[in-house]
Amino acid sequence: MKNAQSLSELNAVNSFAALPEAFYTRLPAQGLNNPRLLHANHEAAALIGLDPAVLSTSEFLEVFSGSRPLPGGDTLAAVYSGHQFGVWAGQLGDGRAHLLGEVEGPEGAWELQLKGSGMTPYSRMGDGRAVLRSSVREYLAGEAMHGLGVPTTRALALVVSDDPVMRETVETAAIVTRMSPSFVRFGSFEHWSSRRQPDLLKTLADYVIDRYYPQCREAQAGETPSETAPYVNLLQEVTRRTALLMADWQAVGFCHGVMNTDNMSILGLTLDYGPYGFMDGFRLGHICNHSDAEGRYSWNRQPSVALWNLYRLGGSLHMLVQDADALRAVLDQFEAIFTRAFHDRMGAKMGLAAWVPDDEALLDDLLKLMDANQADFTLTWRRLADALQGRRSAFEDLFIDRLAAGAWLDRLLARHAQQGRPVAETAAAMNRVNPLYVLRNHLAENAIRAAKMGDPGEIDTLLKLLRNPYVAQDGYERYAGLPPDWANGIEVSCSS
């Protein structure tokens, strides 16, 4: 398949725009003044079959700065509702985002969405804009998560301008182009159930099933076919994907920061990067969002919040499935799926070929030790392979209580001895699942500072490292080291 040599050659499909108009408002994006392309993502362009040469054209800048529509697209802002910080917020929607259209790529379709592209009917009290600071963070985040193997939205382009935007201070505007197979959320379903409109809820559910989960139409072994079975199966698949996503987040020390139901993807993707963070010093109750005064979305609560959100989705589908017990039985599977996946991931991080019940205490004791010492999350795991090969101090130096760290390490080494696996083989396996590079807040901050000067160099460097985060690269040691002292002063909030 030949790459498109211009945007007009892309294969637009626009399936969401074919839904009834109650699901969105058609309106043009509001472009930035004197826009400049700060960065374009060649890997993301390949996903939609776009030739890299197109990224430097004036047409590309005009479309992804919001100045003209995507050729063949159908620009709109979607409506949805949701629970925010556990409280019903009513109608929400794309308050500063425009879906430009959907493009069929070599391996599937991708929706292209501008974030920061002006006000919509769903902006409420917002101005419809995004600032450079948050846009750089979102542009980098999806690529960082993809490099770690975590399901996520992606980013195609980052456009900046000198247009002023008022947040805590006056900042400059930017637009990031996000890519996802779908931007449908749990809150999309809550919207229609809260309005007691089962016909539109069914339309949405059928669209999602037919487009993304066609296997949900197939009768399960021993199951009596019924009209409502596909919706039960839909909840089951979303529950499974969400449980696996939570295991992925916990294993890499990622905190989303604002797990509202309107930020939960129906496809089990990491969606809406705002006040997220990868932990430096580990705390079980780490809160990455300065706006989260109650700690609702702390690291150790993320799995239970995900289940709470799934119950809201299940409650919405109850309008289509009268058998509440069937829905509840599906939701009851979450804990087992998450626990098994979490143990698999954490066992691999410890170099264990197979998880056994006694490994639970080994993992819990390490997490408690890390919490008590605020040991660096990423480096603690990465240096386990060094310790296994005789370089114990690399691991123990991360702990204030080095004796306790050494005692725990002895237990892990004894566990490894039981496996009888060659040390070099085990260490290599551990380094394949314990990243060296993650998008720490201070690294993102350095990229933001450079971007404010019009320099995309730090973005280039971070993408190079984060796309292959498990392999050490010479000359980039500072990107894999402990954060500087000034990083402790970085705060991210819902305005981020």
Side-chain angles (χ1 to χ4, degrees), residues 85-86 120 178 194 218 233 260 300-301 337 353 392 465:
F85 290 90
T120 76
R178 309 195 294 183
S194 68
E218 301 172 5
N233 295 340
N260 298 330
N300 58 338
R301 292 185 178 180
I337 296 170
R392 295 176 60 107
L465 300 175

Coordinates of all heavy atoms in Angstrom, one line a residue, residues 85-86 120 178 194 218 233 260 300-301 337 353 392 465:
F85 N -14.7 12.9 40.0 CA -14.3 12.8 41.4 C -15.4 12.2 42.2 O -15.7 12.5 43.4 CB -13.8 14.1 42.0 CG -12.5 14.6 41.5 CD1 -12.5 15.4 40.3 CD2 -11.3 14.2 42.0 CE1 -11.3 15.8 39.8 CE2 -10.1 14.6 41.5 CZ -10.1 15.4 40.4
G86 N -16.1 11.2 41.6 CA -17.1 10.4 42.3 C -18.5 11.1 42.4 O -19.4 10.6 42.9
T120 N -16.8 25.0 22.1 CA -17.9 24.2 21.5 C -19.2 24.3 22.4 O -19.1 25.0 23.5 CB -17.5 22.7 21.4 OG1 -17.7 22.1 22.8 CG2 -16.1 22.5 20.9
R178 N -4.6 14.4 18.6 CA -4.7 13.1 19.2 C -5.3 12.0 18.2 O -6.1 12.4 17.4 CB -5.5 13.1 20.5 CG -5.2 14.2 21.4 CD -5.7 14.0 22.8 NE -7.2 14.1 22.8 CZ -7.9 14.0 24.0 NH1 -7.3 13.8 25.1 NH2 -9.2 14.1 24.0
S194 N -28.7 8.4 31.6 CA -29.2 9.4 32.6 C -30.4 10.2 32.0 O -31.2 10.7 32.8 CB -28.0 10.4 32.9 OG -27.7 11.2 31.8
E218 N -21.4 -13.1 19.1 CA -21.3 -14.5 19.0 C -21.8 -15.1 20.3 O -21.4 -14.7 21.4 CB -19.9 -14.9 18.7 CG -19.4 -14.4 17.3 CD -17.9 -14.6 17.1 OE1 -17.3 -15.3 18.0 OE2 -17.3 -14.1 16.2
N233 N -22.0 -9.2 27.0 CA -20.6 -9.5 26.4 C -19.8 -8.2 26.3 O -18.6 -8.3 26.5 CB -20.8 -10.2 25.1 CG -21.4 -11.6 25.3 OD1 -21.5 -12.2 26.4 ND2 -22.0 -12.1 24.2
N260 N -12.0 10.1 36.0 CA -13.4 10.3 35.9 C -14.0 9.4 34.8 O -13.3 9.0 33.9 CB -13.7 11.8 35.5 CG -13.2 12.8 36.6 OD1 -13.2 12.5 37.8 ND2 -12.9 14.0 36.1
N300 N -2.5 3.6 44.6 CA -3.0 2.4 45.2 C -4.5 2.2 45.0 O -5.1 1.2 45.2 CB -2.6 2.2 46.6 CG -3.1 3.3 47.5 OD1 -3.3 4.4 47.1 ND2 -3.2 3.1 48.8
R301 N -5.2 3.3 44.7 CA -6.7 3.3 44.5 C -7.1 3.1 43.1 O -8.3 2.9 42.8 CB -7.3 4.6 45.1 CG -7.2 4.7 46.6 CD -7.9 5.9 47.1 NE -7.9 6.0 48.5 CZ -8.5 7.0 49.2 NH1 -9.1 8.0 48.6 NH2 -8.4 7.1 50.5
I337 N -9.3 -10.9 37.3 CA -8.5 -10.6 36.1 C -7.4 -9.7 36.4 O -6.2 -9.9 36.0 CB -9.4 -10.0 35.0 CG1 -10.5 -11.0 34.6 CG2 -8.6 -9.5 33.8 CD1 -11.6 -10.4 33.7
A353 N 9.8 -16.8 36.9 CA 9.3 -17.5 35.7 C 7.8 -17.8 35.9 O 7.0 -17.8 34.9 CB 10.1 -18.7 35.4
R392 N 25.0 -5.6 44.1 CA 24.0 -5.4 45.1 C 23.8 -3.9 45.5 O 22.7 -3.4 45.7 CB 24.2 -6.2 46.4 CG 24.2 -7.7 46.2 CD 24.6 -8.4 47.5 NE 23.7 -8.1 48.6 CZ 22.8 -8.9 49.1 NH1 22.6 -10.1 48.7 NH2 22.0 -8.5 50.1
L465 N 14.2 8.0 23.2 CA 14.4 7.1 24.4 C 13.2 6.4 24.8 O 13.2 5.2 25.1 CB 15.0 8.0 25.5 CG 16.3 8.7 25.3 CD1 16.6 9.6 26.5 CD2 17.4 7.7 25.1

